[in-house]
Every structure is written in C-alpha cells, then in structure tokens.
Amino acid sequence: MKGVFIFLAEGFEDVEAVATYDALRRGGVKAEFIGVRDEPFVTSSHGTVIGVERTLSDLLDGASHEGTDRRDFLIFPGGMPGTRNLAACAPLISLMREHYAQGGSLAAICAAPGLVLGQLDAPEGLEFTCFDGFETALASQGAAFVRKPAVRCGRIVTGRSAGYAVDFGLEILEAIKGAEVAAQVRGAMLLDIQ
C-alpha cells in the first residue's frame, strides 16, 4: 500500500494521532487520517471530533501493494477503546499483514503495539516499546520490550505513550525522510531547548 496512513477508530488517543500527523506534515510527508468505519468523522477518547481524508473502505477499493517499500507506513494510535476497535477490525488487520509482507512499514503507539501489532508474527530480533501492560502479545513471540520514548527496529516503529507522541512521529519521519529532515523539524519545534 503506497502512502502514509494513520488509522482512527472511535475512542482513539487524541495526542497520539494528531501529534504524529503534525510531525509528519511538518516534515513534508502527506500523511492521511483514515477512518475504519464508513463515517467522515471519528470521535476520540476525550471527545475530540476529527475529520478523515478517507475511510478504510475507500482505501481498500482498488488497493494495490505494487511498489510498496519501507517508506510506506500504516500507523496505529493507541487510546481506549480506540485500540481495541482497531484490533477488532478484520479488514484492517489483513491489510496490515499484507502491507508488511510486501515490504511496507508499520508504526504503533501506546496500547497498539500489543493489541494491533501483536496480531502480526513478530520479526526475529524485534525490539519494541509500548504502554506498560500491553507488551505481552509481542513479548510472548520473542520480541524484546524496552522502556524508551520511541523505538525503530527494522520496518517497525513503536511509541510508549501520549507523552512521547512527538518523539514517535519524528521517528517515523526519520524513517521516511532521513535524519536531517527529522532534525530540522525537531529544531523548529524547539524540542532541544532546555
């Protein structure tokens, strides 16, 4: 699947979705919000209503994995019950597995590494992070849980929690556009000022 897509289900975590989108857009990446239901708006866990560019049904119509590479990302925010809603969406999980098998990248933050990425066969040697308590599914497959803001391991990026959503977004940006672009965005956001 060519492109960078952030999947939203009812009850997503506001900051994890919007900060990631913002970091990518600042870096010149045309990220899109994709609603998993056939509705033009999705409500977050805190009651924020976000308009989506497309729905999952729209995305899947005529979907092709031709030309997919590591710069093409499917991104899964956390939040409850949003993460459970993503994890229960069979067409999304099928898309995730096929996208990864075809050479695309995945990113998940907070509960999503465990509940969503946990439905993928974890690649050998995978290191990941997530919100404490959601590491079991990947760890039981032999993946190594580390307590860091964001972790990139091969074609998988994971983030710890809402407080690290910008770090997560910048890690994805670096994977797509390189360290220089990510550093420019980081600097423009004054993230290194003490």
Side-chain angles (χ1 to χ4, degrees):
M1 176 72 56
K2 294 296 290 177
V4 178
F5 307 107
I6 302 173
F7 293 91
L8 302 182
E10 291 294 308
F12 69 90
E13 167 53 53
D14 310 53
V15 172
E16 293 166 2
V18 176
T20 302
Y21 182 89
D22 180 71
L24 292 169
R25 287 288 184 131
R26 286 173 188 257
V29 174
K30 186 185 179 286
E32 293 182 62
F33 283 133
I34 307 297
V36 297
R37 295 189 320 168
D38 288 333
E39 302 288 335
F41 298 97
V42 184
T43 303
S44 77
S45 59
H46 300 290
T48 304
V49 178
I50 299 275
V52 297
E53 278 93 357
R54 287 193 267 176
T55 67
L56 179 59
S57 296
D58 295 335
L59 188 66
L60 292 175
D61 281 347
S64 169
H65 294 285
E66 187 175 331
T68 299
D69 67 28
R70 64 171 183 76
R71 292 166 300 196
D72 299 308
F73 267 87
L74 305 186
I75 304 170
F76 310 102
M80 288 299 169
T83 307
R84 285 194 175 96
N85 291 332
L86 291 175
C89 181
L92 179 61
I93 299 304
S94 294
L95 174 64
M96 173 187 73
R97 290 176 177 146
E98 182 67 17
H99 176 79
Y100 191 73
Q102 295 298 320
S105 296
L106 304 172
I109 186 170
C110 196
L115 297 181
V116 178
L117 297 186
Q119 296 185 59
L120 184 72
D121 290 332
E124 189 174 330
L126 177 67
E127 286 191 351
F128 74 100
T129 195
C130 65
F131 195 86
D132 287 4
F134 289 95
E135 65 274 7
T136 308
L138 287 171
S140 69
Q141 296 182 47
F145 173 57
V146 294
R147 288 181 170 89
K148 293 182 178 177
V151 175
R152 181 167 23 133
C153 188
R155 292 182 288 119
I156 295 178
V157 176
T158 52
R160 191 137 166 80
S161 66
Y164 299 110
V166 173
D167 294 287
F168 174 68
L170 290 172
E171 195 66 44
I172 298 166
L173 178 61
E174 184 171 328
I176 297 169
K177 297 275 246 175
E180 185 176 336
V181 171
Q184 288 170 353
V185 172
R186 185 175 187 82
M189 296 174 82
L190 304 180
L191 293 174
D192 295 324
I193 302 293
Q194 298 295 326

